[in-house]
Amino acid sequence: AQSVSQHNHHVILSEAASLELGCNYSYGGTVNLFWYVQYPGQHLQLLLKYFSGDPLVKGIKGFEAEFIKSKFSFNLRKPSVQWSDTAEYFCAVEGHTGRRALTFGSGTRLQVQP
Amino acid sequence: DVKVTQSSRYLVKRTGEKVFLECVQDMDHENMFWYRQDPGLGLRLIYFSYDVKMKEKGDIPEGYSVSREKKERFSLILESASTNQTSMYLCASSPSGHGGWTEAFFGQGTRLTVV
């Protein structure tokens, strides 16, 4: 069975600070990887996804993530956060075999202080 | 824009009641999912469906059932609500694609309180 670990549960940053949120997954095969974001009071929406090819993927709002296969990691980064990035961030994985459904991590709550 | 609509934003039900949570998507997606979201636990998959009249158990199906009579509608049923089912319930849909599917689109969620 696949699983996802997000090590940072609550992160507090000042505006313009750099962000890196950790995500590690466990799965014995090829995966698709995703980061979703949930802004306060809003529905989950996709930030970025990795299916294949270039392991550095760029998403919306200046976010990017790097897939490191040897480390089973898919960390999310942003060079300079804004107050509007305050939200909860979820990493998710889908294996290429077996059930075709997302497995999510426990989430990281990001609070950006002005 | 893909729209996934959940029938209620907030629900309060009594222990032992039968509860129906409805979800409708308007993009002709094959796949539909029900998750529950709890603080510190993220989203956990309850049930999913790849086609009309079919269903698959997720990671936490106990105490729940589902129904998919039409492609656009996926209902989650709590047969006898209990207080430990107080949670945020999220519905999602996705298209089937080559090598898997592209992304899941989520509804706004239903916050269910069982008293």
Side-chain angles (χ1 to χ4, degrees):
Chain A
Q2 56 216 29
S3 65
V4 179
S5 295
Q6 292 183 244
H7 314 295
N8 315 103
H9 298 293
H10 190 193
V11 173
I12 302 173
L13 295 173
S14 298
E15 275 192 315
S18 64
L19 170 73
E20 180 159 3
L21 300 183
C23 173
N24 287 91
Y25 68 91
S26 170
Y27 184 73
T30 307
V31 294
N32 298 328
L33 295 158
F34 305 81
W35 276 97
Y36 279 81
V37 61
Q38 188 174 36
Y39 297 104
Q42 295 189 26
H43 63 276
L44 255 75
Q45 53 189 286
L46 183 69
L47 261 184
L48 48 78
K49 61 191 178 190
Y50 172 81
F51 284 174
S52 63
D54 189 344
L56 184 62
V57 293
K58 296 192 184 299
I60 60 171
K61 305 187 180 187
F63 285 91
E64 65 179 31
E66 185 176 12
F67 171 48
I68 302 179
K69 190 175 180 180
S70 61
K71 294 185 178 180
F72 298 90
S73 70
F74 190 56
N75 292 355
L76 181 71
R77 300 195 291 249
K78 186 171 184 180
S80 176
V81 295
Q82 301 172 311
W83 178 80
S84 58
D85 293 324
T86 294
E88 190 154 19
Y89 294 80
F90 295 93
C91 182
V93 64
E94 180 213 12
H96 279 207
T97 57
R99 79 178 189 195
R100 307 313 300 270
L102 291 172
T103 298
F104 284 86
S106 56
T108 297
R109 186 171 299 278
L110 173 65
Q111 186 179 342
V112 180
Q113 295 175 332
Chain B
D1 259 4
V2 175
K3 202 159 190 183
V4 179
T5 305
Q6 295 182 229
S7 53
S8 306
R9 290 294 303 274
Y10 301 94
L11 273 180
V12 180
K13 296 292 181 180
R14 295 195 179 277
T15 301
E17 274 193 80
K18 190 168 186 176
V19 181
F20 293 86
L21 303 183
E22 306 288 346
C23 174
V24 177
Q25 50 95 2
D26 66 357
M27 283 300 291
D28 201 36
H29 286 170
E30 290 80 11
N31 309 318
M32 295 190 75
F33 309 85
W34 276 106
Y35 290 87
R36 64 176 280 178
Q37 181 181 7
D38 299 288
L41 296 177
L43 281 75
R44 292 178 292 165
L45 183 65
I46 305 172
Y47 266 97
F48 58 105
S49 170
Y50 296 146
D51 202 350
V52 176
K53 295 196 185 293
M54 71 82 56
K55 59 187 178 184
E56 296 278 349
K57 291 181 180 179
D59 297 318
I60 52 164
E62 296 78 19
Y64 304 95
S65 63
V66 289
S67 172
R68 193 165 181 201
E69 295 295 319
K70 293 185 178 181
K71 190 176 186 180
E72 68 270 18
R73 186 179 296 271
F74 193 36
S75 304
L76 180 69
I77 304 156
L78 285 66
E79 297 291 343
S80 177
S82 63
T83 55
N84 63 15
Q85 292 178 309
T86 291
S87 186
M88 173 71 86
Y89 290 87
L90 298 178
C91 176
S93 74
S94 70
S96 291
H98 289 296
W101 42 272
T102 53
E103 68 176 272
F105 296 87
F106 284 83
Q108 288 274 52
T110 297
R111 185 167 294 282
L112 172 67
T113 302
V114 182
V115 298

